[in-house]
Amino acid sequence: MTLIYISDQKQHVSVLTSTRGEGLIPPPPLITDQPYFDSTMLKNQTAHVGRQAELHCRVHSIGNRTVSWIRRRDLRILTVGRYTYTTDLRYEVLHQNGTNQWTLRIKSAQPRDQGNYECQISTKPMKAFTTYLRVLEPRGEILGSPDLYVQKGSMINLTCILHDLPEPPAYVRWYHSNKHHSNRNISYSSSRGGVSMIVEKGPTTISYLLITSARVQDTGVYTCAPSNHNATIITLHVLNGEHPAAMQTNSSADHYKSVALMMVSVLVRILWHAWLTGT
């Protein structure tokens, strides 16, 4: 059952719900002449570098008071009412007459914008609500970088992890450079054979480049290049008989067994990452 409660105050409507065995949720207190912040405002908000950030402040019963936005790290007044008080043109305030929301918009957010922002009401004493803006900067890494060592004939597994992306990349490409060629796009259907890639897309995107039966010619610099982020590199060394500490330890005794084990390992990583992130 759903009931609609309408108070005798303007623009104040609440929905009361009731289910069998439960009582009605009490209506909110009547609006007074004292302004107060909306209880549903977020205390933590997130934006990505280069993207637009918006911090929302909702005030009820504002009356003739004024809402301002303050940057806490330097106590700089950014906006007062509908006016902007900073020379940084990335900042602006959004407010429509008749609404209770004042939004601080930051165009093209930068790492320096991260921190606390305070929404203030010009009461005596002054009332304030603080929200924290976190600015995420996409970053990539290839496990084992900057140098990875593998034995000749073993399985090569290059794992590129892309963190804090605003959205998954449309594609991830791999390139290979050595003394014979520069930044050659890796082909998965070349005569070399045994080359494949697996991509798991999400806020954290993972690309696995798998190369069977490592050859000396596979030595060189590998570049992981997503469509919406800077490239990340790793230098691969294919050795014959040596055992550096950083060397991958994939068995080459059985080619097909090695491939199967690698695919199982990749699947376990994907499932583990999905469990950690709740996706």
Side-chain angles (χ1 to χ4, degrees), residues 67-107:
V67 173
S68 303
W69 277 101
I70 310 296
R71 187 170 59 201
R72 287 288 300 274
R73 64 177 168 86
D74 55 4
L75 299 181
R76 177 176 292 276
I77 299 174
L78 301 174
T79 68
V80 177
R82 300 178 62 181
Y83 299 96
T84 303
Y85 282 84
T86 174
T87 56
D88 190 336
L89 299 180
R90 296 180 305 121
Y91 289 87
E92 65 175 334
V93 63
L94 306 177
H95 175 72
Q96 292 184 357
N97 289 331
T99 67
N100 65 351
Q101 179 163 291
W102 284 259
T103 298
L104 177 65
R105 173 181 288 174
I106 307 174
K107 302 175 184 177

Side-chain angles (χ1 to χ4, degrees), residues 163-177:
H163 303 272
D164 297 331
L165 301 177
E167 65 272 329
Y171 57 82
V172 178
R173 290 177 180 156
W174 285 86
Y175 298 90
H176 177 220
S177 298

Side-chain angles (χ1 to χ4, degrees), residues 37 55 57 67-73 75-79 104 115-121 126-132:
F37 293 107
L55 307 179
C57 181
V67 173
S68 303
W69 277 101
I70 310 296
R71 187 170 59 201
R72 287 288 300 274
R73 64 177 168 86
L75 299 181
R76 177 176 292 276
I77 299 174
L78 301 174
T79 68
L104 177 65
N116 287 310
Y117 291 80
E118 196 170 83
C119 177
Q120 297 181 353
I121 309 173
M126 180 266 293
K127 295 183 179 180
F129 175 84
T130 300
T131 184
Y132 182 81

